[in-house]
Amino acid sequence: MPVSAGNSKLVYDALLDAGVEVVTALPETWLVHLVRLAEDDPGVTLIRLAKEEEGVGISTGAHLAGKRSALLMQNHGFLQSVNGIVSCAQLYKIPLLMLISDRGHLGERDPWQTEGGKVTRRVLDALGIVFDELGHPDAVASQVAKAMTLAQSSLSPVALLLTRDLMWEEPA
Amino acid sequence: MRRIDCLESIYDRLADCVVVTIMGAVAVELYSLGHRPNFFYLEHAMGLASSVGLGVAVADPDRKVVVIDGDGSVLMNLGGLTTLARYAPPNLAHLIFDNESLLSVGGFPTATATGSDLTGLARAAGIANATTVTELTDFTAAAEAAIAADGLSLVTAKVEAVGPASFHMDLHLLENRFEFARALRPDSRPRGTPAGAGDRPDPTSVAPPTGVERPPAP
């Protein structure tokens, strides 16, 4: 599978460096390595979700109990979670770090991903969520650290888009 | 059976738990019995109280978490029952008041009014320790057992569709949120001390301030 194991590990290590102890996830193709890394890590609690919005609630509870967390999901899972993000994370000032696989953007071959891809950035913008793209391996550690810093200082959701350039290695 | 009587019957038992409730009548009725810093009322995000409780439970396994839910909210997050069952935090008790209606928003019937069985759904999701009660004494016993249990437990309490006269709470949701997070801090109290004990300081636990001159005893 041409999902980048090396870059997934970079992202995962950056999450650990940012103090993440609870990871919630709804697996999708681009997230397989990240989810497995969390699964194999005895120092991290991984919670696989039935639906992404649950992860917003779980991150809220973890934060209130003093633990840092990250929510891993596809952009369609983000779209699914909008009410939870607004009515739980934003209403209650929760530092929710979201790592969102950026499906349906440039280079996407799957027709079913493309409608969500068109609106992901605009929905993030409409919600007032600060976001950045993780595109270059060299910048991942710094970007994840800064995203967590902003989430914690602003007590707000912050999103990092896992781009195709970072996550996908085209077969030779 | 009325929800307020159920809540009153376990109110003292909730003092040393972490409590997460849904919005509306459940929150207002618990609040009316006396607010404590270890009570968090999720005033919106319908359905997510059980997920918030799961997050607290995995982040702080040393404390008992009691989620006080309602039929409308559980029906909005049925998938969450499968997630609870999957991770089954031993320190989580899930209490559901089922009045078969969306009481706080006009009283329209929910699917439990036409036969959907929340305890049956929970069992089928994998929560083996799940029970339904219809009498107050049974509720008190089942809820206390769920709170005492070293395992995920769920109680569905069939209650009358009656609620408080007023939904006013003199507690802003952010005040509640920050107070609750402070109450959950490890350094806010010694382990093993009831979470609600902050309301009534134990004089024996208060060390005299150091470096302060005290007048000699008369």
Side-chain angles (χ1 to χ4, degrees), chain A residues 87-123:
Chain A
S87 300
C88 190
Q90 293 185 318
L91 186 65
Y92 278 96
K93 303 288 292 176
I94 302 300
L96 173 69
L97 181 64
M98 299 181 284
L99 270 68
I100 302 170
S101 58
D102 187 22
R103 303 305 303 270
H105 203 50
L106 297 181
E108 180 67 60
R109 291 195 178 96
D110 296 340
W112 49 89
Q113 305 286 10
T114 57
E115 286 302 314
K118 284 183 200 167
V119 300
T120 299
R121 287 162 177 75
R122 283 193 287 150
V123 173

Side-chain angles (χ1 to χ4, degrees), chain A:
Chain A
M1 186 178 297
V3 181
S4 173
N7 288 343
S8 297
K9 181 76 164 63
L10 280 179
V11 173
Y12 188 74
D13 288 345
L15 290 175
L16 294 186
D17 288 344
V20 168
E21 293 177 82
V22 176
V23 170
T24 64
L26 207 146
E28 75 117 9
T29 310
W30 289 16
L31 301 175
V32 285
H33 297 305
L34 277 165
V35 172
R36 285 192 184 131
L37 285 163
E39 190 172 56
D40 294 340
D41 185 347
V44 161
T45 301
L46 169 69
I47 298 185
R48 297 170 185 271
L49 309 164
K51 205 172 183 184
E52 291 85 350
E53 190 180 20
E54 292 172 61
V56 179
I58 292 165
S59 280
T60 297
H63 170 72
L64 294 174
K67 291 259 172 86
R68 291 187 177 190
S69 67
L71 168 53
L72 311 182
M73 59 188 167
Q74 199 192 82
N75 51 344
H76 296 84
F78 158 69
L79 295 172
Q80 189 282 319
S81 305
V82 165
N83 182 54
I85 292 166
V86 172
S87 300
C88 190
Q90 293 185 318
L91 186 65
Y92 278 96
K93 303 288 292 176
I94 302 300
L96 173 69
L97 181 64
M98 299 181 284
L99 270 68
I100 302 170
S101 58
D102 187 22
R103 303 305 303 270
H105 203 50
L106 297 181
E108 180 67 60
R109 291 195 178 96
D110 296 340
W112 49 89
Q113 305 286 10
T114 57
E115 286 302 314
K118 284 183 200 167
V119 300
T120 299
R121 287 162 177 75
R122 283 193 287 150
V123 173
L124 283 163
D125 251 342
L127 296 175
I129 295 173
V130 176
F131 68 93
D132 204 352
E133 297 179 359
L134 297 185
H136 300 286
D138 293 348
V140 163
S142 164
Q143 283 177 293
V144 171
K146 288 173 179 169
M148 179 61 91
T149 299
L150 179 63
Q152 296 289 331
S153 63
S154 64
L155 296 179
S156 299
V158 172
L160 293 171
L161 293 170
L162 300 165
T163 64
R164 176 175 298 274
D165 287 345
L166 186 76
M167 302 306 290
W168 196 253
E169 293 167 345
E170 291 295 343

Side-chain angles (χ1 to χ4, degrees), chain B residues 1 16 23 40 42 54-55 95 126 129 136 189 218:
Chain B
M1 178 162 64
D16 60 357
M23 69 198 82
F40 178 67
L42 184 62
L54 174 59
L95 311 180
N129 191 359
L136 180 59
R189 64 185 174 82

Side-chain angles (χ1 to χ4, degrees), chain A residues 61 64-66, chain B residues 17-19 37-38 56 60 63 179-189 191 195:
Chain A
L64 294 174
Chain B
C17 301
V18 173
V19 180
N38 54 310
V56 175
D60 194 348
R63 289 189 170 101
E179 178 192 49
F180 178 77
R182 190 173 289 277
L184 264 55
R185 282 188 194 171
D187 56 2
S188 68
R189 64 185 174 82
R191 289 279 157 173

